[in-house]
Amino acid sequence: MCANKLIERVPRVKLADAVALQLERLIVEGEYEVGAKLPPERILAEDFGVGRSSMREALRMVEAGGLLRTDHGIGVFVVSNEKTTLLPSDMILTGDYSVSDLFEARLALEREGASIGARRISAEQVANLRRILQKAAVPGITDDAFIKLDGELHQAISAASGNQLLVDLSKSIEHLFVMYSHRVIRLPGRRETAHAGHMKIVEAVAAGDSAAAEIAVTDHLTEVQKDIQMHLESAS
């Protein structure tokens, strides 16, 4: 039986990646505090329900992310609860969905939502989009606040379409959007690039230009994917 009730048994996907994700979550959420020494590899492997080779690989990945330090002959220590780089394991959202799946779904939903929204948006909805942009541009707002506003913006554009099914479909993947956003928000320049993309989308939608709105959404999501790929390559 698992000694730590907060650790979930790992089902599908590559075991080491899934273990690394759970271990990172436990560190970020403070279950393993900065300065703490992790249990021995054998105990961790038993807790996670995986073999020692998978556990060892997971520890290596989390260490590469800047959260752990290995002192040979002494043990593995938590040195940070904030990742300094992006790893391949971050591309898994759940056992069923990857970040690539999310982007493909977002492109299909958000591009069409922005296109329809550009044709139907009201003056009040335009004003709301601009208010969200202004709040997101305030210096010093937290990452959590920015992510919340990011989600609000995309949902508001979807709502402008007047298509309730489209709105509901967009909301159904919102939890995956939030999960992904928290993983990439600290990448250098991520907030600035995202905000610039949001401004272009809002301007196109507000101008009633469906074609420009589609292009702006496509460019925005493509830019995000390129940014992520660049950081993944730099970490490899």
Side-chain angles (χ1 to χ4, degrees):
M1 183 173 177
C2 177
N4 189 330
K5 303 301 183 184
L6 294 170
I7 295 176
E8 304 167 6
R9 293 284 176 160
V10 177
R12 294 193 295 266
V13 306
K14 185 179 177 182
L15 286 177
D17 287 340
V19 172
L21 282 173
Q22 286 199 53
L23 183 55
E24 288 168 0
R25 175 177 59 80
L26 293 173
I27 293 171
V28 170
E29 293 177 356
E31 298 303 327
Y32 293 124
E33 297 182 349
V34 174
K37 179 182 177 181
L38 294 185
E41 180 186 288
R42 176 182 59 82
I43 301 299
L44 285 172
E46 291 176 358
D47 284 348
F48 281 97
V50 298
R52 292 186 66 172
S53 60
S54 293
M55 192 70 239
R56 191 175 303 117
E57 185 179 353
L59 288 169
R60 180 189 60 76
M61 287 190 286
V62 178
E63 183 171 9
L67 303 185
L68 298 176
R69 183 190 72 243
T70 299
D71 290 345
H72 296 287
I74 301 176
V76 181
F77 295 85
V78 179
V79 294
S80 175
N81 57 11
E82 294 186 4
K83 293 181 66 175
T84 57
T85 189
L86 197 63
L87 300 174
S89 60
D90 291 305
M91 296 300 97
I92 302 168
L93 291 174
T94 69
D96 297 311
Y97 308 122
S98 68
V99 169
S100 294
D101 294 331
L102 175 63
F103 271 103
E104 288 177 358
R106 286 187 63 192
L107 183 60
L109 293 172
E110 294 180 25
R111 182 167 54 190
E112 189 64 18
S115 178
I116 299 173
R119 298 195 296 269
R120 299 177 178 174
I121 195 165
S122 67
E124 183 179 355
Q125 288 172 322
V126 169
N128 181 48
L129 291 178
R130 297 197 190 285
R131 280 195 295 270
I132 295 173
L133 282 178
Q134 288 176 351
K135 290 180 181 178
V138 173
I141 68 167
T142 66
D143 288 338
D144 285 346
F146 185 88
I147 291 171
K148 184 173 183 296
L149 290 167
D150 189 344
E152 287 180 8
L153 183 75
H154 288 292
Q155 290 301 325
I157 292 171
S158 178
S161 72
N163 185 317
Q164 189 58 46
L165 180 56
L166 186 59
V167 172
D168 290 343
L169 287 171
S170 296
K171 286 182 178 178
S172 73
I173 63 172
E174 189 173 12
H175 67 293
L176 297 175
F177 168 81
V178 172
M179 187 187 303
Y180 139 81
S181 295
H182 278 287
R183 291 182 190 171
V184 303
I185 192 66
R186 291 190 178 91
L187 293 178
R190 177 85 295 275
R191 277 172 55 164
E192 292 78 8
T193 301
H195 187 68
H198 293 160
M199 290 178 66
K200 291 179 181 178
I201 295 170
V202 169
E203 288 309 310
V205 172
D209 191 333
S210 292
E214 290 184 21
I215 293 171
V217 169
T218 302
D219 288 348
H220 171 59
L221 293 178
T222 301
E223 186 68 28
V224 175
Q225 287 179 295
K226 286 181 179 178
D227 198 17
I228 290 172
Q229 188 60 40
M230 179 186 70
H231 285 284
L232 282 173
E233 291 173 355
S234 68
S236 61

